[in-house]
């Protein structure tokens, strides 16, 4: 059992006197109660297997992020009503600041504007990855694809599936064969999006938190080939197979 990173963050905010950011975190931990279990699916794609990239509703290309992309991905207009950045934006900016390689963006070829971002990182950066989240140690032939973000004006255009598929292909440059990503079990839209990108269920990540979120355990469980996630079982629909 270990102390969750959120406790260290709370202490840092207290020391800096940033109480406006500290209060929502305290409230969130209190709502969790004494015990909580959180399940996510780890999905995996074998990029050595030919796959037909799904199409978005606009033409996109993929490249590494530039400093000039950041204000376009996170426009000031998306601040909350009290002038704060949403948690999802704040977290991604923090990861950008760590210089974790490699962050890619999908670019709207009609306007040249970045319309999606996500990190693809190999096993060489295992130690840095472990400081950022609840992830397994990557094997030498694995890469982690995480922290996807689509600006609000580009949502609903099928960009996630197309961009994920294209970014995953870049794992070849890292010497990886398998690309892994994690999605909350209740985030059905993202689970389906990952499947359209060629990913299938590979692991279950089981996080247990105790004493109002102050302590945790983390466990990864392998899934058998052909495992159906709950949304697939309820509909009776098999995972999309887009292979060529």
């Amino acid at each position: 059992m270990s102390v969750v990173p959120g406790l260290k963050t709370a202490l840092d905010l207290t020391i800096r006197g940033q109480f406006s950011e500290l209060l929502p975190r305290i409230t969130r931990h209190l709502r969790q109660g004494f015990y909580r279990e959180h399940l996510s699916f780890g999905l995996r794609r074998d990029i050595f297997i030919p796959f037909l990239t799904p199409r978005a509703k606009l033409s996109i290309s993929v490249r590494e992020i530039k400093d000039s992309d950041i204000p376009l991905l996170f426009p000031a207009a998306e601040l909350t009503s009290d002038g704060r950045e949403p948690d999802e934006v704040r977290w991604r900016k923090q990861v950008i600041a760590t210089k974790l390689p490699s962050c890619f963006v999908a670019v709207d070829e009609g306007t040249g504007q970045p319309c999606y971002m996500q990190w693809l990182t190999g096993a060489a950066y295992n130690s840095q990855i472990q400081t950022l989240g609840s992830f397994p140690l990557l094997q030498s032939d694995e890469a982690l694809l995480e922290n996807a973000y689509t600006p609000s004006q580009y949502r609903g255009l099928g960009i996630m599936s197309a961009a994920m598929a294209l970014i995953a292909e870049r794992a070849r440059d890292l010497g990886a064969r398998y690309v892994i990503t994690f999605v909350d079990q209740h985030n059905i839209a993202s689970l389906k999006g990952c499947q359209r990108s060629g990913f299938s269920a590979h692991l279950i990540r089981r996080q247990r938190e105790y004493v109002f979120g102050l302590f945790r355990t983390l466990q990864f469980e392998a899934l058998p080939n052909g495992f159906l996630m709950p949304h697939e079982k309820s509909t009776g629909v098999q995972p999309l197979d887009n292979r060529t």
Side-chain angles (χ1 to χ4, degrees), residues 153-201:
Q153 69 269 32
Y154 281 104
R155 293 171 189 170
L157 299 176
I159 293 173
M160 172 190 167
S161 295
M164 278 192 74
L166 292 171
I167 295 171
E169 293 287 343
R170 300 295 185 99
R172 297 176 187 273
D173 299 334
L174 304 177
R177 173 173 182 168
Y178 300 103
V179 180
I180 301 171
T181 191
F182 286 87
V183 181
D184 180 276
Q185 64 169 335
H186 299 301
N187 192 345
I188 304 303
S190 289
L191 288 171
K192 290 181 177 180
C194 290
Q195 289 178 300
R196 287 191 291 271
S197 300
F199 290 79
S200 58

Side-chain angles (χ1 to χ4, degrees), residues 21 25 28 70 73-75 77-80 84-97 103 116-119 146-153 155 160 187 190:
E21 294 188 24
R25 292 176 182 270
R28 186 163 60 247
I70 297 173
L73 288 163
F74 309 117
E78 295 194 0
L79 296 176
T80 61
R84 293 186 299 109
E85 290 181 330
D87 287 344
E88 60 179 349
V89 171
R90 187 185 308 111
W91 170 244
R92 284 158 181 81
K93 283 189 173 182
Q94 289 174 355
V95 179
I96 290 171
C103 184
Y116 180 88
M117 70 182 299
Q118 196 166 25
W119 276 262
E146 276 291 326
N147 281 328
Y149 181 78
T150 307
S152 59
Q153 69 269 32
R155 293 171 189 170
M160 172 190 167
N187 192 345
S190 289

Side-chain angles (χ1 to χ4, degrees), residues 7 19 21 24 46 48 59 62 76 120 152 157 171 192-193 200 203-204 209 227 229:
L7 180 57
F19 301 109
E21 294 188 24
D46 182 347
F48 283 16
S59 181
V62 166
L120 179 70
S152 59
L157 299 176
K192 290 181 177 180
S200 58
L203 295 170
I204 284 182
E209 298 185 357
F227 176 87
M229 290 177 282

